[in-house]
Structure formats: structure tokens, C-alpha cells
Amino acid sequence: METNDQYGGHHRSPGRTRFLMAAGAVALTLCAGLATPLGPAPQQARAADGGTKVLTVAVAQSVDSLSPFLAVRLLSTSIHRLTYEYLTNYDAEDNHVVPGLATKWESSPDKLTWTYTIRSDSTWSDGKRATAEDAAWTFRTMMTDPGAATANGSFVANFEKVTAPSPTRLVIKLKKPQATMTALDVPIVPRHVWEKVGDYTKFNNDKDFPVVGNGPFVLTDYKADSYVRLKANKDFWRGSPKFDELVFRYYKDQDAAVSALRKGEVSFVAGSPSLTPAQAASLKREKNIRVNDAPGRRFYALATNPGARARNGEKIGDGDPSLLDRRVRNALFMAVDRKTIIDKVFQGHAVEGAGYIPPRFSQYFWEPSDGQELAYDPAEAARLLDRAGYRKNGDGRRVGKDGEPIDYRVLCHATDPNDKAIGQYLEEWWGDLGIGVTLNCLDNVTDPWLAGEYDLAFDGWSVNPDPDFVLSIHTCAALPATPEETGATDNFICDRTYDELYARQLAEYDAGERADIVRQMESRLYDLGYMNVMAYPNAVEAYRTDQIASITTMPAEAGNIYGQDGYWSWWSAVPADSADTGGDASSTGVIIGIVAGVVVLAGLGALVAVRRRATAEDRE
């Protein structure tokens, strides 16, 4: 969920949505000093007296849930990567699959039975050993309880049977081949703790601390809209983090977070979802501050309401019916000058978008052909609208079939400056077409999105090395079962041709063949026009070098620090006053920066909201 990305997670389920909107992107600020209800005086990342070393991260995204069964936002899934092991992980150097809770895996000749060897040196933080039965129980619960399948249900939808013949042997039998068997991005939870839960759709794992886990950190405290605190797991099988505590702290105002970095009150800041060009430029001039500007793992898009419906066919919300015409959707995108967005809004800290998967993942990256591309052409956009029957009246306004002027409501995130800036351009560009624009910038875009009460919305997801999750959120199966329930859908897209391609890629083990099918899926999404990708933003973040001695990006060359596909950055970060700046190398041999401190989450809104939808940048 990372993906998973929602912006992070995969899945569909009737109990909760796993939708993440790009605007709700994560802003992390690793704080060295921080005042919280837990400690009125700021704490330095490195304690002068050799005491507790705390690494603080400022965030601008809310946690949707601390339950691994429900969480889909990038911030939430990042926390779960720190507190629970997955069967496998991704190497920090180049994203290839490496051992996690499983030390090795093998499949039967027909690829329908997968056997995983579970390590014997992983211990839950309450002292009990982590075993194959914990993994088997986690998957079986997701297979049989719709509530437990909310965040990652798509991973187990094809599972026929899961058993644990011994403490170190996990066996998964499939109904048909499944290409994600070495990329099951599902947190494994301790059975002896979670089997006591009654309703998985309502249990948010936010009352009893410390939370029992087996990752590099132990979740020790949480306060909604304030912080999440983690403590280093001294018994973690890869080795203990170098910081004693990790804190994510919420900053609603990004300028305030940047100011805190300058003052040394935080150690790291990533922005919402990235630093603005002006903030990055100013920080580059600051002593003891380093700016990381690298290709990101997310896309930035305009999502169009496709006539939101539930799986039972009932309509949801009140999207403008004109948007059901592909010619109208294509015309809107042809009136968007992506070059201006890159140059004027991102100021070069992004590249123009088109396909659903960023160029960082070269294997799956797709670009439209010359004849297919919806290039910037306002004149052709106007002609398309005319041909679709949406002509201008005497006042120069395009009118709908009801004779009323068209005025599109565009959902945007109040905390994302990019949404607001691009929204102003849309008012101008679409205004020239005779179409009105009403920007609806909210702290909480979840509720109107879930209700289908929007025409367009700024959207975005973080993409995992394996793209299955972000592909799954546009399948018909991801729709809510009824209007009263929620699903795993991003914005209610349901297209049978796309679904057929999705099923084919999931069952294809040949990497080249699968990548070709994925690119066909991206082409189909592009042609449908419900999801118009405008840009692939860079990861623009900054940290204090007088508080963090070393921290590794993922991938190693030109990668991001916050929101990685793993726990590498936070697990191996080295305090500036540490004598050991080499750190414990991960199994990949890469020194990785680790944040040890209190985790404070932006807008950690009520985790009890079973029907809340995660907003962009969120799943991994």
C-alpha cells in the first residue's frame, strides 16, 4: 500500500476504501527537536548527554488507520513497514526482491503452489517467536473476512488455501498463476494478538501501546492530528536502528515545517508532498542542510468522475453527465498545457506525464504514440466539444444538454500548493473553452470523493516496484458492492477491456510479457481519459547534516528518502554524533539513513472512520 502507494495498498473490500489522492501527499520532516504533549521541551535528534537519540519527521498527511488490515495511505503503510515484517522486501540499491520474514521461496512446476521458508530469528516485541502460522493466519483472515481484506485484499483473492506445516514452512496454493507471489506487500501480524479482534472494519489498533510487532521499530504512542511515536527494536533480526526513537509530527503549514528545519527543531522535511521550488532553493543556501531532489515514484493527475456507481449498478454521487462523453474528457486534457505546469508550477522539479507509471520504473513505463497523444491543442479541444454537442451560448459559455452553463467542481487538497496553482491555470484554460471551474479545496477530500460528489479531482499515487496494486484500483472488482459501502477503487473506473488485461498481467510470470500487458493497460487508461496524468513530480526533500550523519536514498542512485518501498532510510540512519557513521549495512550492502524518533502524523484524523478514503500520495 504502498501503492502502495496511496500515495500506498492494494485492494478492495466492502468495509473501507483504499483510495489515496495525490494531493494528500505526504510531507515528512525528520525532527531533531520537537515539542509535543509528550515532552513540552524540544528534544534534539542527538542527545548531548549521550541519552536518547530521537529523529523527528514532520508530515502533512493524515493516518487513515494504524491497522494493517485497513491502512492504505503512504504514511500509514510506511509506519507498518517499520513495525511489521513482510514475507519479502525490496533492495534499497535497485528494488530487486530480497528476503524479509521469508528467507527463501520456491514454486511447484505448475506455479500453483508456493512454499516459503520462514526465518527462525524473528521475534515479536512481546517475546514470542514469529512463525509461519502468523503469516498463514494473516492471509486466511484476509481470505475469509471482508473487513480484513480492506487494504490488501487483491493479493489474496486468488489464494485457494494457506497452511503452515511447521513453524518455518508456509505453503500457499493458488487457483491460477499469480505474478505477485514474490511481491506480496502485506504486513504479517501476530496471530496471538489479532485473533482477539472482533470487527476488523472498526478496530484501528490505536488504543493499546506498545503495539506488538517484529519490525525495526515498535509503535509506542499515538495522538490523532499530532504524532506517532516509535522506539527502536533492539531485537530486530537485521540489527537495531541507530536512533533510539522515531517521531512523525504533523505540520499543516509547510512553511512552518521548513522553518522548524532551519531552527533544528526537526531533522527532515519532505513537504506536501514535496518541497516547493522556492523552499528548496532557499534551503540550499542554509548551512548544515542538504536538499535531495530526485525522480519520484508517484504521478500527479486529474481524475474525472466516470459516472460513479457501485458493483450492483446503483449510481453514486452527482458527477456532471457531460464527462461521460470521451470527447469531452479528451478535450479537457488537450486544453491543459503540461509544459507550463512543469515550468511554472513545478519549476523543473518534475517531468511531463502521460502514462500511469513513472519513468523511474523503466520496465513498465509507457508513452503514447504520436497519433495517440492528446497534445496541447486548445483549438482542437474546442472543436471536440462542438462535435460532442456542447456549444457556446450567446455569453460564450458552453452549455450542457439541459441548457445550463457547464461549471465543473474540482476537488483539491487545501494543503497542496500545486493543486491550487494548477487549479488557477485550469480556470484560465478551460475558461477559454467556455467552461467554468469551481475549485473545492478541502482539508478532507475523502468524504466528497467517497460520495462521488465531484466532477474532477487532483489525484496521485506512489507506485511500488511491482505495479499490481495501482493497477488493481481501476478494476470493476474494486468498486464498492453497494452505495452504502466502500471499495478499493480510486475513482470508480470500470472497463471490461481493462479488466481482461489486468487478469492477464496478474497471471503472467514472464517478466517481459507481463510488462507488455501492463503497458497496454496504461494505454487503455490513457485512451479512456478518466485519469489524465499531468506530471511525474520529483521527490524534493531536505535534512540537517548536523543531526543525520548518513541516510540512503532508494534506489541508491537518484532516489527518495521518505516513502521508500521498505524501511531502509529509517532503519539505518546514523545520528551525527555517532562514532559509527558506517552503520549496519542492510542485506543489500547499502548504508541507509534511519529515523529514530517520535512519529507525528499530519492530520491523523479519526482512525475510526471505516468509510474514510485515503487521499493521494498515499499508498505506497
Side-chain angles (χ1 to χ4, degrees), residues 284-325:
K284 285 181 179 178
R285 298 190 293 267
E286 294 283 337
K287 182 181 180 181
N288 297 324
I289 291 179
R290 181 171 299 158
V291 174
N292 181 50
D293 186 351
R297 55 179 284 233
R298 57 182 294 267
F299 63 82
Y300 184 78
L302 267 175
T304 305
N305 190 327
R309 294 182 181 276
R311 287 204 305 273
N312 65 4
E314 291 187 53
K315 181 179 178 181
I316 296 175
D318 56 3
D320 194 298
S322 66
L323 295 171
L324 299 180
D325 191 320

Side-chain angles (χ1 to χ4, degrees), residues 323 328-336 408 430 433 435 456:
L323 295 171
V328 173
R329 300 192 298 271
N330 287 351
L332 293 176
F333 196 43
M334 293 176 75
V336 172
Y408 291 136
W430 293 353
L433 292 175
I435 292 174
L456 297 105

Side-chain angles (χ1 to χ4, degrees), residues 11 26 39 59 103 109 122 145 148 158 183 230 233 265 321 346 357 359 387 391 412 424 441 455 459 467 564 575 580:
H11 344 309
V26 180
V59 295
T103 60
S122 179
D145 189 314
N158 182 43
L230 304 166
N233 181 359
E265 295 172 350
F346 290 101
I357 297 175
R387 290 197 291 270
R391 298 181 177 274
C412 77
Q424 292 176 354
C441 296
D455 298 320
D459 191 9
Q564 295 181 356
D580 177 13

Side-chain angles (χ1 to χ4, degrees), residues 144-406:
T144 58
D145 189 314
T150 297
N152 298 296
S154 64
F155 284 119
V156 302
N158 182 43
F159 287 12
E160 180 176 293
K161 185 179 181 181
V162 183
T163 59
S166 76
T168 58
R169 188 163 174 257
L170 173 72
V171 179
I172 300 176
K173 292 187 177 181
L174 303 174
K175 301 172 186 174
K176 56 186 178 182
Q178 180 170 324
T180 60
M181 296 307 290
T182 59
L184 297 173
D185 293 322
V186 177
I188 303 302
V189 301
R191 174 176 181 170
H192 64 281
V193 174
W194 283 85
E195 65 183 352
K196 301 171 185 176
V197 174
D199 188 343
Y200 288 99
T201 67
K202 296 179 180 179
F203 182 73
N204 283 294
N205 200 29
D206 59 346
K207 297 295 186 294
D208 265 340
F209 297 100
V211 171
V212 177
N214 63 339
F217 289 91
V218 178
L219 180 55
T220 58
D221 202 2
Y222 157 79
K223 183 177 180 180
D225 299 315
S226 184
Y227 64 82
V228 174
R229 174 173 293 177
L230 304 166
K231 186 172 78 170
N233 181 359
K234 303 298 183 181
D235 298 320
F236 184 51
W237 68 271
R238 282 191 196 271
S240 174
K242 306 255 183 327
F243 279 94
D244 300 305
E245 289 187 349
L246 169 62
V247 177
F248 293 114
R249 180 183 183 183
Y250 172 57
Y251 282 89
K252 184 175 181 180
D253 186 309
Q254 185 161 303
D255 286 333
V258 171
S259 176
L261 183 73
R262 285 194 174 95
K263 296 175 183 177
E265 295 172 350
V266 303
S267 302
F268 180 101
V269 60
S272 173
S274 294
L275 297 176
T276 66
Q279 289 168 338
S282 67
L283 288 174
K284 285 181 179 178
R285 298 190 293 267
E286 294 283 337
K287 182 181 180 181
N288 297 324
I289 291 179
R290 181 171 299 158
V291 174
N292 181 50
D293 186 351
R297 55 179 284 233
R298 57 182 294 267
F299 63 82
Y300 184 78
L302 267 175
T304 305
N305 190 327
R309 294 182 181 276
R311 287 204 305 273
N312 65 4
E314 291 187 53
K315 181 179 178 181
I316 296 175
D318 56 3
D320 194 298
S322 66
L323 295 171
L324 299 180
D325 191 320
R326 186 189 301 189
R327 293 169 296 183
V328 173
R329 300 192 298 271
N330 287 351
L332 293 176
F333 196 43
M334 293 176 75
V336 172
D337 187 351
R338 284 171 289 168
K339 186 177 187 304
T340 291
I341 289 175
I342 300 302
D343 293 344
K344 301 298 185 182
V345 177
F346 290 101
Q347 296 183 27
H349 299 275
V351 295
E352 290 185 36
Y356 198 60
I357 297 175
R360 166 166 158 175
F361 302 103
S362 58
Q363 181 180 8
Y364 301 108
F365 180 61
W366 170 88
E367 293 179 287
S369 62
D370 290 340
Q372 180 182 22
E373 183 182 7
L374 298 173
Y376 178 57
D377 189 342
E380 178 60 22
R383 287 190 288 270
L384 271 177
L385 291 172
D386 288 340
R387 290 197 291 270
Y390 297 95
R391 298 181 177 274
K392 291 183 178 180
N393 61 15
D395 296 326
R397 297 290 307 279
R398 299 274 174 183
V399 295
K401 303 300 183 182
D402 58 1
E404 295 296 320
I406 296 175

